[in-house]
Amino acid sequence: ADPVKIGFLVKQAEEPWFQDEWKYAEQAAKDKGFTLVKIGIPNGEKMMAAIDNLAAQKAQGFVICAPDVKLGAAVARAAKRHDLKVISVDDQLVDGAGKPIAGIPHMGISGYEIGKQVGLGLLEEIKKRGWNLNEVGALRVAFDQLPTGRERTMGAIDALKAAGLPAANVIDAPQAKTDTENAFNAANIAFTKNPKFKHWVAMGMNDEAVLGAVRAGEGRGIRKDELIAIGIGGSQTALNEFTKPAPTAFFGTVLISPKRHGYETAANMHSWITTNQAPPAVTLTSGTLMTRQNQTELRKQMGL
Amino acid sequence: MKKPLNRAWLTEHSMTLGYAVLFLVLAVSVENFFSAANIVGLMLSVAQIGMVACTMMLCLASRDFDLSVGSTIAFAGVLGAIILEHTQSVTLAVGGGLLAGALIGAGNGVLIAYLKVNALIATLATMLMVRGLAFIVSQGQAVGIADEGFIAFGDARILGLPLPIWVTGACFLVFGVLLNHTVFGRNTLAIGGNPEAARLAGVKVEKLRVWIFLLQGLVTALAGLILASRITSGQPNSATGFELDVISACVLGGVSLQGGKARIFGVLIGVLIMGTVENVMNLMNVDAFYQYLMRGLILLAAVLLDQLKARGSKHG
Amino acid sequence: MKKPLNRAWLTEHSMTLGYAVLFLVLAVSVENFFSAANIVGLMLSVAQIGMVACTMMLCLASRDFDLSVGSTIAFAGVLGAIILEHTQSVTLAVGGGLLAGALIGAGNGVLIAYLKVNALIATLATMLMVRGLAFIVSQGQAVGIADEGFIAFGDARILGLPLPIWVTGACFLVFGVLLNHTVFGRNTLAIGGNPEAARLAGVKVEKLRVWIFLLQGLVTALAGLILASRITSGQPNSATGFELDVISACVLGGVSLQGGKARIFGVLIGVLIMGTVENVMNLMNVDAFYQYLMRGLILLAAVLLDQLKARGSKHG
Amino acid sequence: MNTASLQFDQVSKVFPGVKALNGVSFEARAGQVHGLLGENGAGKSTLLKILGGQYRPDGGRLLLNGQACHFSSASDAIKAGIAVIHQELQYVPELTVAENVLLGRLPQRFGFVDKKAASAMVAARLAAIGVDLDPDALMIDLSIAQRQMAEICKAVLQDAQVIAFDEPTSSLSHRESEVLFKLVKDLRASGKTLIYISHRLEELYALCDCCTIFRDGRKVATHPVMADVPRDLLISDMVGREVSDIYDYRPRQLGQERLQVRGMLGEHLAAPLDFAVRAGEVLGFFGLVGAGRSELMRLLYGADARSQGQVLLDGQTVSAKGPSAAIEAGIVLCPEDRKEQGILAQSSVAENINISCRRHGLLGGLFLRHAREAALADAFIKRLRIKTPNREQEIRLLSGGNQQKVILARWLAEPDLKVLILDEPTRGIDVGAKNEIYRIIHEVAESGCCVIVISSELPEVLGIADRVIVMREGRISGELDRSAASETAVLRMALPDLV
Ligand SMILES: Nc1ncnc2c1ncn2[C@@H]1O[C@H](COP(=O)(O)OP(=O)(O)OP(=O)(O)O)[C@@H](O)[C@H]1O
Ligand SMILES: Nc1ncnc2c1ncn2[C@@H]1O[C@H](COP(=O)(O)OP(=O)(O)OP(=O)(O)O)[C@@H](O)[C@H]1O
Ligand SMILES: O[C@@H]1[C@@H](O)[C@@H](O)CO[C@H]1O
Ligand SMILES: [Mg+2]
Ligand SMILES: [Mg+2]
């Protein structure tokens, strides 16, 4: 038979998360003896080109985290045309109507659920500190241009609201771009606008966004005693905060495991191709709250 | 007479020759590069850039600049998808998308030609506004497309080639003829070279500019609709940074940002170089981070080559 | 003599007056706008753009163009953080970052001035390559900064104002003087206004260009280091799209892309307008999608105002 | 006495398709004004560009005081004590007069430009040479003539040993020319080596001590004593044929009034203006710099917006919508500023000729007929003796005079030409070509068109016009028939009232 070649396409190759996913997929390739082709696909156009490219390289299948979940139908069509197998990772692909696409197995997270975990983590810490929810401002560093970004932060907000946070306490800080500086500027203004809150919690679509809120808070004297911030991802950005000598308001991050996503999806694709054994339709991995205290242990547990 | 002609010819076509050599080298050295599937894939990957580069060429030739094309692609796609969703009519969807594109383009043109707003600022403003509109009408969500007729638009094949490639080819043909064989094209070059002299020579400078931008908007919208059909959804955040790719392809193809100079064939080569580089790097599994480095180096290599040759011919 | 002078003055400073009026209106109508905390925040939010706009002004004034500043910010920040991590020396970190910036700038300058590569393509290539380098040296990960001394760099306050604002102020001062009161500045305008004339008058055009780009790289690296210290980490993917913001601020401030025209005060106003618009929209809770629309509209309004006034003064 | 001298030894320069200079040798001595003459495209400017370090010669060398020198840039030439005032003005529009004049050597104090000193220095020098110019004015706000004077001041301030002027008077008025002549004479008296290019023979006779004549890139002759050279010999040396009466005027039968201009008023005119031109008439417009002649024609042509006024052609109102409407009606204009308003610099000669008239011969109303355009271009290149390697040459590479001929060809190619307006048509044009242009003007008039010629050269206006209108300070100050138009009569109308 032909040597096995598998594509691994990710929407944001520059993001540490995907670098890690690739790294672990690479490990699977070494273990199982197949070739891995890694391509970054920042948009739909590049995605289509990458799938064509894979076909030209005579790959037999690919794992994909698409730039938008609604690209599902396009992925399915392109894969079918080239006779390629597909597994989606991280974000589950849907069709035009928003229904998950049958025939594309998925392993990943639900953005909304991860967000909820952020919310629950914040609530627990709020309770520990004995804050009154009415006096807590919830800073949502928002990048709603990206649907997953919105889902995640809304998940956190919904969890807080369900626990009794008044809707009026939710403060949106829209960032113009997804980097820390823009989050900083947005958060800074939000703090200015709302001097009335005694305490703050902050969330965002990733660790970088939340870090911006933390730094902005520090600039205004809102430090770790008045602000609890929880990020998403468990990237180096978060770890940097944890290794600082003194704790900062960057309380924790919901760690999701790039190892499982990277390694298992690639390995699953390999066995699908070689033994024709399709992986389960949906595998959801969950996130774990990582803090300064449990970081080493947790990362070891996850094999990172 | 014979010799200098040959040299001029060489100078004129050095980029083409360079690309031909590159292509040959890649064909023999990179596995899977020279296969029908890959070449089709390569062409498809630059179909959108190619279409828009045709009109961007006109725009640059007239000493203007358009940053709004990326947003227009997104907006036209989203709008088309929404109209389709509501009316189930492909005609209305395509018509609506094209109309929107033409209006955006004409708006740019009026701002620049009549209200004398700096082209960079004017199209930057439209870029922001149109992107905003794309988000607003779609509420930030991709709009799915289910209509098979519409999807066929980006998927159907004629003589083995996907429709978008044919459309791009047609654009190069039409705009090549427009540039070289019509008054419209010649006057475009004239206003790019010296707008005041062109006006005194009877060129209706303002009107022409509006037309150029209108065409640009129209073709860009077409590209947006085709993209939407290829990816079976209208995506409000698609094609960001597209404008720079298109402009680079044009400049690579010898279009001058100072206006007055353009060659359709050069633009074609520019577009192909951009596509080929990306294609080959993916075929060769170049690491994502190193791809940045490589793309930069190859851009430089391409223009430096062009430069050296230009100098050679000057001194020789 | 008196009257036309007044009118000229009005024309010259219309943007400033416009901004002053805008500021007053916002101060009385938008809650929280006119508070020390907010004004400091506003200034901080444009500190990086402001610094780089100073040198970008020189670059545009000399009829050039630099797209690589965003990448340089990221690279300098990452590099500084890495050096700091390894050596624990703030001096080495800052020195290394600045040196890298200066080299990148000088590289751009040599490509453009001596090898005659089109500035758009040359700096696009560097933009890609430097971004790639930033990713490569950091392996795509944010590099943490723990050194208090380094962090103070972006955090310390003098007379209530954070250091970055002072640095930006100093940049405006220095480059304002440089532009208006030194041979360097006048020659920069000269090579932008008419490179051939400047060359014939004995100005060392190539050398000057390299210096301009070198300064640009240096100041950009400084901005990158300050950013890194503000966010306590060097992030390889920071400041994407930064170049367009900077260029827009300059153009908004009346710097001509055709070269030869620049006013430091205009640039300051351009930068402030950009920052204020963003600040106020967030203060007023404008929906993210509508922010695009508003930003576009306000950009347009600003230049149209400028345009109308320019015309009024021509006819009047 | 200083014996500094400048020698050209077998200097050659080749451009693609053109041998611009072919083994040129001659010597210019200190304390003398050495005139250079030759047809358009003969290679005069190329020689000065080599002298100024802008081009490197392909063969031969330059000797300064017997020393061979090789300039690799303009600054080398400046350092060697050479100043060149180029034919194409080279200034920075957004800088002040003082900054332009001192560009490359601005005075400094503590590392900063000493603006006061700069202004004072330039003001003093301007005053010394008798030019009334504000050193702090922006260059862009000056008239072409004023810019030219600033350029001259720049060269003079370089304190060079050798100063070369390339057609310095082509855009100067009478009064400014006088200033320049005095300056040149002063420089000669101070022992400088001067080179002076001009197409105006009177000027050359008045200023030069000796002269060298060029044709087709070769030196034809050097005459050691200018005063001894008969005028006819100069002309035939230059043109290679005899030219008897350069104006070539023949009385014509004038027809009805074809063009009527009524109540024309614009920004720079002082009062509404009226005039009319008859079929077959050549109407001359004379005035001092800034009199408003160009403005009037631009208003008529629709190039500038009028505040009032009407143009009637054969009794029909001509739309004021812009140049395209005027052209459609048969009115065309050759603008005064060739570089900024006339040529499409990067386009070919053929393109520059065909840009307007091609609209008449489109294939299917849409596509260009390339063969026809090429033939038309070739025909005009031949008819107007345009010196170019071929029709595809970029027009910016042609010599100034030849560029002017191309613009003229652009309008002569209009099939429905009714009114031909020429604004300073012979600026920078050699005697032979002038003669050809006058011939063409008469030809056009004879075919029943109206021709309007603006010129600042009084003899030219008097030589070719059937009637002269004189303008002063935005008004028409008088009108004279050919028979009544004498130099004094016209000048009296043109000069401001002596109070
Ligand atoms: N850069 C160039 N490239 C090609 N040809 C050139 C270039 N510069 C000048 N020429 C050609 O060289 C010849 C000499 O030109 P030059 O400008 O020296 O003439 P000139 O004697 O100054 O004429 P004029 O009296 O019209 O100014 C002309 O045929 C001109 O077209
Ligand atoms: N664009 C302009 N801006 C300011 N003033 C102008 C402009 N154009 C013309 N003028 C002024 O209008 C008046 C008429 O100028 P015009 O050029 O028509 O005169 P002219 O008789 O053709 O003289 P010239 O020999 O200078 O061409 C002058 O005072 C001139 O300074
Ligand atoms: O974009 C995110 C990425 O940042 C990581 O968190 C995994 O899920 C993807 O959707
Ligand atoms: Mg000349
Ligand atoms: Mg005039």
Side-chain angles (χ1 to χ4, degrees):
Chain A
D2 278 344
V4 179
K5 198 181 242 184
I6 295 173
F8 204 114
L9 313 184
V10 302
K11 62 183 181 187
Q12 266 285 306
E14 294 77 12
E15 231 186 274
W17 165 263
F18 292 111
Q19 286 293 316
D20 287 341
E21 259 185 7
W22 272 351
K23 193 170 80 195
Y24 294 113
E26 204 58 89
Q27 219 168 69
K30 213 179 268 156
D31 293 352
K32 314 271 173 197
F34 60 87
T35 313
L36 187 77
V37 180
K38 303 172 291 187
I39 304 180
I41 46 168
N43 57 45
E45 198 187 348
K46 292 263 177 344
M47 178 186 85
M48 298 304 286
I51 297 174
D52 288 344
N53 196 293
L54 284 177
Q57 297 190 44
K58 308 198 186 73
Q60 294 94 338
F62 60 92
V63 179
I64 184 169
C65 176
D68 190 297
V69 293
K70 285 242 177 78
L71 291 169
V75 173
R77 286 179 79 94
K80 199 169 135 216
R81 181 167 57 233
H82 295 304
D83 197 18
L84 290 163
K85 297 188 166 61
V86 194
I87 295 177
S88 66
V89 67
D90 297 344
D91 308 336
Q92 185 164 27
L93 292 170
V94 298
D95 63 13
K99 280 202 315 285
I101 296 189
I104 299 187
H106 174 70
M107 167 179 272
I109 47 168
S110 145
Y112 189 78
E113 289 302 323
I114 292 282
K116 244 185 174 160
Q117 268 185 300
V118 171
L120 295 176
L122 290 170
L123 279 170
E124 197 181 331
E125 186 63 16
I126 289 172
K127 213 184 289 158
K128 229 188 252 167
R129 299 187 183 190
W131 292 355
N132 176 351
L133 269 182
N134 289 316
E135 299 170 350
V136 175
L139 183 68
R140 184 175 81 97
V141 178
F143 193 73
D144 292 348
Q145 292 89 307
L146 215 61
T148 44
R150 183 177 167 80
E151 270 179 33
R152 291 176 185 196
T153 47
M154 290 318 282
I157 291 298
D158 286 354
L160 289 169
K161 279 197 198 152
L165 181 91
N169 288 18
V170 177
I171 308 299
D172 278 2
Q175 46 181 157
K177 279 170 215 146
T178 58
D179 61 12
T180 303
E181 199 211 348
N182 278 284
F184 178 102
N185 292 333
N188 206 4
I189 294 167
F191 286 132
T192 303
K193 251 192 331 192
N194 300 283
K196 58 181 180 287
F197 294 112
K198 245 172 105 179
H199 314 290
W200 285 94
V201 294
M203 71 220 64
M205 65 169 284
N206 54 27
D207 292 330
E208 285 75 21
V210 173
L211 182 65
V214 169
R215 289 287 97 85
E218 284 167 1
R220 320 180 53 95
I222 303 170
R223 291 175 188 276
K224 71 171 198 320
D225 294 336
E226 289 98 54
L227 170 62
I228 309 165
I230 296 184
I232 292 177
S235 67
Q236 190 65 39
T237 302
L239 298 180
N240 289 337
E241 283 297 291
F242 295 157
T243 48
K244 283 197 171 156
T248 66
F250 198 103
F251 178 78
T253 176
V254 174
L255 175 69
I256 37 188
S257 166
K259 179 162 190 190
R260 275 196 74 188
H261 290 202
Y263 192 97
E264 282 182 30
T265 47
N268 286 347
M269 179 55 81
H270 178 252
S271 52
W272 192 4
I273 291 165
T274 49
T275 65
N276 208 13
Q277 191 184 347
V282 182
T283 316
L284 284 183
T285 60
S286 63
T288 321
L289 182 63
M290 174 166 78
T291 62
R292 205 170 236 280
Q293 283 73 40
N294 71 359
Q295 52 157 326
T296 333
E297 187 189 336
L298 195 62
R299 285 173 53 80
K300 201 183 288 162
Q301 238 175 56
M302 293 227 174
L304 298 171
Chain B
M1 197 65 208
K2 199 75 215 241
K3 262 232 170 128
L5 201 76
N6 275 350
R7 188 176 287 145
W9 186 89
L10 219 73
T11 312
E12 180 89 7
H13 296 280
S14 71
M15 207 62 150
T16 318
L17 289 178
Y19 181 70
V21 171
L22 177 74
F23 191 90
L24 282 179
V25 170
L26 293 175
V28 298
S29 67
V30 177
E31 210 185 335
N32 299 314
F33 177 76
F34 193 59
S35 64
N38 190 52
I39 299 301
V40 169
L42 193 166
M43 291 201 285
L44 209 46
S45 75
V46 290
Q48 270 80 239
I49 293 196
M51 284 176 223
V52 181
C54 290
T55 45
M56 186 64 88
M57 171 192 71
L58 291 179
C59 195
L60 296 176
S62 69
R63 210 189 283 187
D64 273 321
F65 210 78
D66 192 350
L67 293 177
S68 71
V69 288
S71 299
T72 306
I73 288 219
F75 182 64
V78 167
L79 191 70
I82 291 180
I83 297 181
L84 195 62
E85 198 175 43
H86 285 86
T87 66
Q88 260 81 40
S89 153
V90 175
T91 322
L92 280 181
V94 173
L98 293 180
L99 184 68
L103 285 177
I104 294 167
N108 277 332
V110 169
L111 280 172
I112 294 166
Y114 288 101
L115 301 177
K116 314 268 181 234
V117 177
N118 175 292
L120 183 95
I121 294 283
T123 58
L124 183 69
T126 2
M127 160 176 146
L128 290 168
M129 292 193 291
V130 173
R131 182 67 70 180
L133 283 180
F135 281 126
I136 292 169
V137 297
S138 65
Q139 291 161 305
Q141 306 283 341
V143 184
I145 293 173
D147 188 294
E148 281 300 322
F150 191 87
I151 292 177
F153 200 45
D155 215 25
R157 298 195 169 219
I158 302 177
L159 302 178
L161 283 185
L163 204 55
I165 297 181
W166 287 105
V167 175
T168 309
C171 281
F172 273 102
L173 201 72
V174 168
F175 286 100
V177 169
L178 203 66
L179 179 70
N180 293 314
H181 303 284
T182 69
V183 174
F184 181 92
R186 288 311 172 90
N187 285 357
T188 298
L189 288 171
I191 67 175
N194 184 345
E196 182 59 14
R199 196 169 72 93
L200 290 179
V203 177
K204 292 179 183 136
V205 177
E206 282 79 21
K207 222 165 130 184
L208 185 58
R209 282 199 150 144
V210 174
W211 273 106
I212 293 169
F213 276 99
L214 191 148
L215 276 180
Q216 166 102 303
L218 196 71
V219 171
T220 307
L222 181 66
L225 290 165
I226 291 180
L227 179 64
S229 111
R230 284 182 58 205
I231 62 179
T232 66
S233 55
Q235 306 248 349
N237 47 16
S238 64
T240 51
F242 182 81
E243 49 284 346
L244 268 189
D245 285 346
V246 173
I247 295 175
S248 313
C250 287
V251 175
L252 209 51
V255 180
S256 159
L257 290 180
Q258 259 70 55
K261 260 188 211 166
R263 276 160 36 215
I264 190 85
F265 207 70
V267 172
L268 177 62
I269 299 294
V271 167
L272 285 177
I273 290 180
M274 305 260 299
T276 306
V277 167
E278 190 130 342
N279 179 279
V280 169
M281 285 199 298
N282 286 339
L283 282 181
M284 295 175 44
N285 218 349
V286 176
D287 182 286
F289 298 162
Y290 285 89
Q291 288 209 6
Y292 280 92
L293 214 60
M294 291 302 297
R295 266 194 289 164
L297 281 174
I298 287 169
L299 261 183
L300 268 190
V303 281
L304 273 177
L305 192 86
D306 211 45
Q307 203 46 49
L308 278 180
K309 162 229 63 184
R311 258 202 261 179
S313 81
K314 202 168 145 195
H315 285 291
Chain C
M1 199 64 209
K2 198 76 218 228
K3 260 232 171 126
L5 200 77
N6 275 349
R7 188 177 286 144
W9 187 89
L10 218 75
T11 312
E12 182 86 8
H13 295 279
S14 71
M15 206 62 150
T16 319
L17 289 178
Y19 181 69
V21 171
L22 177 75
F23 191 90
L24 282 179
V25 170
L26 293 175
V28 299
S29 67
V30 177
E31 210 184 332
N32 297 315
F33 177 74
F34 193 59
S35 64
N38 188 55
I39 300 299
V40 169
L42 194 167
M43 291 200 285
L44 208 48
S45 75
V46 290
Q48 269 80 238
I49 293 195
M51 285 176 224
V52 181
C54 290
T55 45
M56 186 64 87
M57 172 191 72
L58 291 179
C59 194
L60 295 177
S62 70
R63 212 186 279 188
D64 272 322
F65 209 79
D66 191 351
L67 293 177
S68 70
V69 288
S71 300
T72 307
I73 287 220
F75 181 64
V78 166
L79 191 69
I82 291 179
I83 298 181
L84 194 64
E85 197 175 47
H86 284 85
T87 67
Q88 259 80 37
S89 153
V90 175
T91 322
L92 279 181
V94 173
L98 293 180
L99 183 69
L103 285 178
I104 293 167
N108 277 332
V110 169
L111 279 173
I112 294 167
Y114 289 100
L115 301 177
K116 313 268 181 235
V117 177
N118 174 293
L120 183 95
I121 294 282
T123 59
L124 184 69
T126 358
M127 160 176 143
L128 290 168
M129 292 192 291
V130 173
R131 181 68 69 179
L133 282 181
F135 283 126
I136 292 168
V137 297
S138 66
Q139 292 164 300
Q141 309 278 351
V143 184
I145 293 173
D147 187 293
E148 281 303 319
F150 192 87
I151 291 176
F153 201 46
D155 211 27
R157 297 192 170 220
I158 302 177
L159 301 177
L161 283 186
L163 204 56
I165 298 181
W166 287 105
V167 175
T168 309
C171 281
F172 274 102
L173 203 71
V174 168
F175 286 101
V177 170
L178 202 67
L179 178 71
N180 293 315
H181 301 284
T182 68
V183 171
F184 180 90
R186 303 324 279 174
N187 284 355
T188 297
L189 285 173
I191 67 174
N194 186 345
E196 192 56 26
R199 190 191 310 277
L200 290 178
V203 175
K204 293 189 180 114
V205 177
E206 282 77 23
K207 224 166 129 184
L208 187 58
R209 280 191 148 157
V210 174
W211 272 106
I212 293 170
F213 275 99
L214 191 149
L215 275 180
Q216 166 101 300
L218 197 70
V219 171
T220 307
L222 181 66
L225 290 165
I226 291 180
L227 180 64
S229 111
R230 283 180 56 204
I231 61 179
T232 66
S233 55
Q235 301 194 358
N237 49 12
S238 61
T240 53
F242 181 82
E243 49 284 345
L244 267 190
D245 287 347
V246 173
I247 295 176
S248 311
C250 287
V251 175
L252 208 52
V255 180
S256 160
L257 291 179
Q258 259 69 56
K261 257 188 217 172
R263 276 160 35 216
I264 189 84
F265 208 70
V267 173
L268 177 62
I269 298 294
V271 168
L272 286 176
I273 290 181
M274 305 258 302
T276 306
V277 167
E278 192 123 345
N279 181 279
V280 168
M281 285 197 299
N282 282 346
L283 279 180
M284 294 177 39
N285 250 337
V286 176
D287 183 288
F289 300 163
Y290 285 90
Q291 288 207 9
Y292 283 91
L293 211 62
M294 293 302 298
R295 268 194 287 163
L297 281 174
I298 287 169
L299 260 184
L300 267 191
V303 280
L304 273 177
L305 193 87
D306 212 44
Q307 203 47 48
L308 278 179
K309 163 230 62 185
R311 258 202 261 178
S313 81
K314 203 169 145 197
H315 286 292
Chain D
M1 198 181 141
N2 197 334
T3 55
S5 77
L6 174 68
Q7 256 175 288
F8 294 90
D9 181 23
Q10 293 294 323
V11 175
S12 298
K13 179 75 192 172
V14 182
F15 296 114
V18 189
K19 203 149 197 185
L21 288 173
N22 193 352
V24 170
S25 305
F26 70 93
E27 180 177 6
R29 290 177 201 282
Q32 288 198 335
V33 181
H34 195 117
L36 292 188
L37 304 81
E39 285 180 297
N40 296 126
K44 306 177 295 293
S45 297
T46 304
L47 191 76
L48 290 207
K49 285 179 185 165
I50 289 173
L51 177 62
Q54 201 175 346
Y55 292 156
R56 256 171 278 184
D58 296 318
R61 55 191 187 144
L62 281 180
L63 297 137
L64 199 54
N65 298 327
Q67 292 261 303
C69 35
H70 302 278
F71 304 144
S72 55
S73 71
S75 45
D76 286 354
I78 293 173
K79 272 192 219 119
I82 291 170
V84 179
I85 295 147
H86 292 281
Q87 184 173 14
E88 297 290 349
L89 295 188
Q90 294 292 357
Y91 56 87
V92 184
E94 302 287 338
L95 295 185
T96 65
V97 171
E99 283 172 326
N100 267 287
V101 167
L102 295 172
L103 191 60
R105 51 182 180 285
L106 283 162
Q108 300 186 49
R109 261 184 99 201
F110 313 122
F112 299 116
V113 173
D114 190 343
K115 292 190 178 180
K116 274 214 194 99
S119 292
M121 206 187 294
V122 172
R125 186 54 71 110
L126 285 169
I129 60 179
V131 180
D132 176 27
L133 254 185
D134 174 7
D136 295 324
L138 290 186
M139 208 69 168
I140 197 174
D141 293 333
L142 304 183
S143 70
I144 297 187
Q146 289 172 316
R147 292 175 202 176
Q148 174 75 275
M149 291 314 282
E151 287 277 291
I152 291 168
C153 182
K154 171 158 119 192
V156 172
L157 255 183
Q158 273 176 26
D159 251 343
Q161 255 337 99
V162 179
I163 304 178
F165 298 84
D166 196 348
E167 299 192 38
T169 51
S170 66
S171 49
L172 293 186
S173 70
H174 191 68
R175 205 170 46 210
E176 286 149 325
S177 298
E178 292 297 330
V179 171
L180 174 72
F181 297 159
K182 183 172 172 302
L183 175 69
V184 171
K185 288 175 186 159
D186 288 350
L187 290 170
R188 169 171 56 192
S190 67
K192 309 269 183 200
T193 308
L194 300 164
I195 294 181
Y196 192 97
I197 300 180
S198 177
H199 288 295
R200 299 182 179 168
L201 300 185
E202 302 75 27
E203 226 171 271
L204 292 164
Y205 276 112
L207 280 181
C208 300
D209 303 295
C210 52
C211 72
T212 294
I213 301 169
F214 284 63
R215 192 164 73 226
D216 286 333
R218 291 175 194 276
K219 184 181 91 167
V220 180
T222 294
H223 299 287
V225 184
M226 185 75 194
D228 293 351
V229 197
R231 200 185 164 90
D232 289 346
L233 177 63
L234 270 190
I235 295 179
S236 61
D237 269 358
M238 252 167 78
V239 188
R241 65 189 158 96
E242 301 278 329
V243 179
S244 46
D245 168 19
I246 83 157
Y247 297 117
D248 223 356
Y249 181 83
R250 273 161 290 149
R252 255 165 282 114
Q253 201 59 44
L254 302 191
Q256 300 283 337
E257 278 191 357
R258 275 197 99 170
L259 177 77
Q260 288 162 316
V261 176
R262 293 185 185 158
M264 192 57 66
L265 188 59
E267 221 184 311
H268 302 292
L269 294 184
L273 302 185
D274 303 84
F275 69 91
V277 195
R278 297 166 66 178
E281 187 179 26
V282 177
L283 174 61
F285 266 83
F286 183 75
L288 301 182
V289 172
R293 299 160 298 168
S294 300
E295 176 66 9
L296 174 60
M297 295 313 151
R298 286 176 59 88
L299 291 170
L300 191 170
Y301 189 52
D304 288 337
R306 3 182 136 138
S307 39
Q308 67 171 68
Q310 208 187 2
V311 176
L312 294 163
L313 184 57
D314 296 329
Q316 300 270 309
T317 305
V318 178
S319 151
K321 272 204 186 128
S324 56
I327 295 167
E328 212 52 67
I331 304 178
V332 303
L333 168 80
C334 290
E336 62 180 331
D337 187 342
R338 194 158 52 218
K339 191 169 157 202
E340 296 297 329
Q341 306 173 332
I343 62 167
L344 301 163
Q346 297 172 349
S347 299
S348 67
V349 169
E351 185 66 23
N352 270 282
I353 292 176
N354 281 292
I355 176 89
S356 174
C357 72
R358 62 162 53 119
R359 68 186 189 284
H360 293 288
L362 296 176
L363 196 67
L366 197 60
F367 299 105
L368 307 177
R369 292 184 201 254
H370 295 290
R372 207 169 112 159
E373 294 193 352
L376 185 88
D378 284 340
F380 274 105
I381 289 172
K382 207 160 150 216
R383 177 171 159 207
L384 303 188
R385 290 183 232 174
I386 297 169
K387 195 159 177 182
T388 172
N390 56 54
R391 62 171 181 268
E392 293 306 327
Q393 183 82 335
E394 285 182 35
I395 192 172
R396 70 188 169 89
L397 301 178
L398 262 52
S399 77
N402 284 299
Q403 292 179 3
Q404 181 70 13
K405 291 189 198 168
V406 173
I407 305 298
L408 198 57
R410 174 188 298 168
W411 295 130
L412 295 180
E414 278 294 319
D416 257 338
L417 183 62
K418 297 195 179 98
V419 179
L420 174 63
I421 307 171
L422 306 168
D423 196 347
E424 310 282 6
T426 61
R427 176 175 286 169
I429 284 199
D430 70 54
V431 199
K434 263 185 196 167
N435 174 243
E436 284 157 26
I437 286 177
Y438 300 146
R439 211 189 60 230
I440 292 161
I441 287 175
H442 294 310
E443 247 176 64
V444 171
E446 263 154 24
S447 72
C449 290
C450 308
V451 182
I452 300 174
V453 181
I454 297 180
S455 173
S456 301
E457 279 188 68
L458 193 45
E460 176 173 279
V461 179
L462 299 177
I464 59 168
D466 296 302
R467 185 159 54 100
V468 180
I469 290 183
V470 183
M471 286 186 71
R472 183 172 78 215
E473 291 168 356
R475 291 189 166 79
I476 290 182
S477 56
E479 181 179 329
L480 295 165
D481 260 329
R482 183 176 180 84
S483 51
S486 68
E487 295 222 1
T488 32
V490 171
L491 270 177
R492 185 167 302 135
M493 289 174 172
L495 290 168
D497 296 321
L498 307 163
V499 186

